[in-house]
C-alpha cells in the first residue's frame, strides 16, 4: 500500500472523466417511505474494486496527514464509543436532539475546498476530488465518513469556542446526529445555543431536519427519557442522569432474530445486521448489564410487544438465539 497519493493520479483522473464506469447508483426506501439514491462501487469488472482500493489507501494517508479529532465528535474514531457521547450530558435537564438533513450529499467538493483549500497541495486536491461523486460526497464510498467528519472540523471548533462562555451547556455530534443540553431547568440559554448551531450550519451549507428535531426536559416524577444513538438518558435523582440501552433497540434486535428464522436459506445480510447491532451493545459494555436486566424483566412480565415480535418462534428460543450471539461476540 502506498501513502503517496500521486500513485493514484491516473486512476482518479480516469474516474473523474467517466465515474459511471467505476460506480453505480441504487435506490433504497427510507422509513418515511421516500426513496434515496446511494452510489457504490461497481462489483462487475475491475474498475469498481480498483477505485475502492484507491479510496481506502488515500483515506489512510489522509488520516495520517490531516485527521484530528475534535473532542465533541464521536463518530468514525477508534476507541470512541457512543456511550462517550453522553458522558457530558449526565447532569443536564433540558435536551435538544437534531439531525443534519442529507448530510453526506450536502457536502460538496466546492464547499469543501472553500473552507479547507489552504490545507492541501495540488496533488492532494486532485486525490480528494476523486473521493466525491459528481461534486458531492456519496454515502456508499469508504472515504465519505472520515471526509465528512473533517469537513465539520471548523464547525465543531466554533461550537467549542461558544461553549467556553457557557459552562451549563453541552454538545455532542455523531456524524449527522447532534445532541445539545443544558444543566439549567430554564431553557433560554439552550434555545440560544440551538439558534447559534442552526445559523453556523447554514454557513457550511448544511441544514437541520426540522421533522427530526426533538426537545425533551427530563423529569424524575414522570420517568421520561431521551434517546440518542440507541441509548437512553433518564433521571436517577434531581441532579444526575443514567444511561441505558433503549428497550426499543433491544426489541428491534429480537425482531430481526425472529425474522431471520423465517428464511429457509441463510440470510447473511440479516445476520450481519444482527451481529453489528449486538456488537454495538457489547461495545457499550458499561451499560450492558442494565439493558440485559431490562430484557429479562420484559420476558418475566411476558411483555406483549415482545411476544408479538417473536411470534414466529417461541419466546424461549428467541432469547436463546439472542444469548448465543452475545456468546459468539
Amino acid at each position: 500500500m502506498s501513502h503517496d497519493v500521486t500513485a493514484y493520479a491516473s486512476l482518479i483522473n480516469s474516474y473523474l472523466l467517466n465515474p459511471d464506469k467505476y460506480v453505480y447508483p441504487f435506490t433504497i426506501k427510507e422509513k418515511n417511505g421516500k426513496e434515496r439514491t446511494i452510489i457504490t462501487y461497481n462489483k462487475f469488472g475491475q474498475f469498481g474494486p480498483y477505485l475502492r482500493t484507491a479510496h481506502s489507501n488515500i483515506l489512510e494517508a489522509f488520516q495520517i496527514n490531516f485527521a484530528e479529532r475534535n473532542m465533541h465528535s464521536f463518530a468514525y474514531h477508534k476507541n470512541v464509543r457512543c456511550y462517550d457521547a453522553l458522558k457530558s450530558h449526565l447532569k443536564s435537564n433540558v435536551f435538544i436532539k437534531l439531525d443534519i438533513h442529507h448530510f453526506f450529499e450536502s457536502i460538496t467538493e466546492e464547499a469543501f475546498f472553500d473552507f479547507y483549500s489552504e490545507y492541501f497541495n495540488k496533488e492532494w486536491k486532485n486525490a480528494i476530488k476523486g473521493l466525491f461523486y459528481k461534486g458531492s460526497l456519496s454515502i456508499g464510498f469508504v472515504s465519505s465518513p472520515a471526509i465528512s467528519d473533517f469537513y465539520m472540523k471548523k464547525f465543531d471548533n466554533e461550537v467549542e469556542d461558544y461553549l467556553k462562555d457557557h459552562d451549563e451547556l453541552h454538545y455532542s455530534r455523531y456524524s449527522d446526529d447532534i445532541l445539545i443540553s443544558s444543566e439549567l431547568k430554564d431553557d433560554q440559554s439552550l434555545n440560544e445555543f440551538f439558534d447559534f448551531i442552526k445559523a453556523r450550519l447554514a454557513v457550511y451549507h448544511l441544514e437541520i431536519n426540522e421533522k427530526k428535531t426533538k426537545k425533551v426536559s427530563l423529569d424524575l416524577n414522570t420517568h421520561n427519557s431521551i434517546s440518542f444513538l440507541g441509548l437512553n438518558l433518564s433521571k436517577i435523582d434531581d441532579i444526575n442522569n443514567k444511561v441505558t440501552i433503549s428497550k426499543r433497540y433491544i426489541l428491534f434486535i429480537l425482531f430481526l432474530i425472529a425474522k431471520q428464522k423465517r428464511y429457509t436459506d441463510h440470510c447473511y445480510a440479516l445476520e450481519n445486521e444482527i451481529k453489528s447491532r449486538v456488537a454495538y451493545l457489547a461495545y457499550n459494555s458499561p451499560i450492558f448489564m442494565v439493558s440485559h436486566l431490562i430484557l429479562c424483566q420484559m420476558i418475566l412480565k411476558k411483555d406483549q410487544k415482545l411476544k408479538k415480535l417473536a411470534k414466529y418462534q417461541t419466546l424461549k428460543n428467541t432469547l436463546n438465539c439472542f444469548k448465543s450471539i452475545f456468546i459468539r461476540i
Side-chain angles (χ1 to χ4, degrees):
M1 188 205 70
S2 174
H3 285 159
D4 179 11
V5 294
T6 59
Y8 308 102
S10 177
L11 176 64
I12 293 300
N13 289 335
S14 175
Y15 160 71
L16 292 174
L17 287 172
N18 189 5
D20 294 330
K21 183 169 70 172
Y22 292 85
V23 299
Y24 69 95
F26 70 94
T27 303
I28 62 169
K29 277 194 174 182
E30 297 183 320
K31 292 179 181 179
N32 57 14
K34 293 183 179 180
E35 292 187 342
R36 193 172 189 181
T37 300
I38 294 177
I39 309 300
T40 192
Y41 305 101
N42 194 339
K43 298 177 182 178
F44 306 101
Q46 58 188 359
F47 297 107
Y50 281 167
L51 183 65
R52 192 184 195 283
T53 299
H55 280 178
S56 297
N57 293 342
I58 291 171
L59 173 62
E60 187 165 341
F62 181 91
Q63 290 175 319
I64 291 171
N65 288 280
F66 305 108
E68 183 182 347
R69 176 184 170 249
N70 180 282
M71 63 181 292
H72 299 285
S73 172
F74 296 90
Y76 318 129
H77 300 285
K78 290 182 179 179
N79 302 317
V80 178
R81 300 172 300 172
C82 296
Y83 176 74
D84 298 327
L86 294 178
K87 284 182 178 179
S88 65
H89 303 272
L90 291 177
K91 294 186 181 296
S92 294
N93 286 290
V94 189
F95 300 79
I96 298 178
K97 181 173 68 171
L98 52 114
D99 172 89
I100 301 174
H101 187 63
H102 287 174
F103 181 46
F104 281 9
E105 302 97 314
S106 298
I107 300 174
T108 65
E109 177 189 318
E110 181 181 5
F112 185 90
F113 287 118
D114 280 347
F115 292 110
Y116 297 101
S117 180
E118 72 276 12
Y119 282 67
F120 309 106
N121 60 24
K122 181 180 178 181
E123 290 74 20
W124 263 108
K125 285 179 181 178
N126 186 68
I128 291 171
K129 286 178 182 178
L131 305 181
F132 289 80
Y133 174 75
K134 296 184 178 180
S136 298
L137 281 188
S138 166
I139 296 176
F141 285 2
V142 295
S143 50
S144 292
I147 297 300
S148 70
D149 197 66
F150 180 87
Y151 181 75
M152 297 298 288
K153 177 180 179 178
K154 290 186 176 181
F155 171 81
D156 288 336
N157 289 342
E158 290 176 10
V159 173
E160 189 172 333
D161 288 340
Y162 183 95
L163 292 175
K164 290 176 182 177
D165 297 323
H166 299 274
D167 292 339
E168 79 280 8
L169 297 175
H170 304 283
Y171 161 78
S172 298
R173 183 180 61 80
Y174 191 96
S175 187
D176 58 344
D177 292 311
I178 294 175
L179 182 67
I180 60 175
S181 68
S182 172
E183 294 182 15
L184 304 177
K185 293 187 177 180
D186 180 356
D187 62 1
Q188 181 177 344
S189 64
L190 184 63
N191 290 337
E192 292 172 355
F193 186 29
F194 174 79
D195 291 338
F196 169 82
I197 284 179
K198 188 175 181 179
R200 295 315 300 168
L201 283 174
V203 171
Y204 292 89
H205 310 289
L206 301 170
E207 61 180 40
I208 291 171
N209 188 337
E210 300 288 353
K211 292 180 180 179
K212 292 186 178 181
T213 301
K214 185 177 182 180
K215 186 176 183 180
V216 175
S217 296
L218 294 187
D219 190 317
L220 187 61
N221 296 322
T222 59
H223 302 289
N224 65 331
S225 63
I226 182 165
S227 177
F228 187 65
L229 308 175
L231 305 176
N232 276 353
L233 263 177
S234 58
K235 283 286 181 189
I236 53 175
D237 55 44
D238 289 334
I239 299 175
N240 301 296
N241 303 323
K242 65 178 178 179
V243 183
T244 59
I245 293 174
S246 69
K247 183 189 289 188
R248 181 180 296 181
Y249 193 89
I250 298 171
L251 282 170
F252 188 66
I253 293 176
L254 290 171
F255 167 75
L256 292 177
I257 294 170
K259 183 178 180 180
Q260 187 187 38
K261 292 297 180 180
R262 298 172 61 188
Y263 287 90
T264 53
D265 297 325
H266 199 70
C267 183
Y268 289 101
L270 193 55
E271 181 176 314
N272 287 337
E273 183 174 0
I274 293 169
K275 286 181 178 179
S276 67
R277 288 181 176 273
V278 175
Y280 173 86
L281 296 183
Y283 191 55
N284 289 280
S285 55
I287 54 173
F288 168 69
M289 288 308 299
V290 178
S291 65
H292 184 70
L293 288 172
I294 292 173
L295 177 64
C296 292
Q297 288 173 357
M298 289 163 55
I299 293 168
L300 290 172
K301 293 178 181 178
K302 297 183 179 180
D303 189 288
Q304 293 301 312
K305 189 180 293 186
L306 183 61
K307 287 174 70 178
K308 184 177 180 180
L309 290 172
K311 64 183 179 181
Y312 296 108
Q313 64 179 119
T314 67
L315 192 59
K316 182 178 178 181
N317 288 341
T318 302
L319 179 58
N320 287 338
C321 183
F322 184 75
K323 286 180 177 177
S324 69
I325 293 174
F326 272 103
I327 292 169
R328 289 201 297 271
I329 291 175

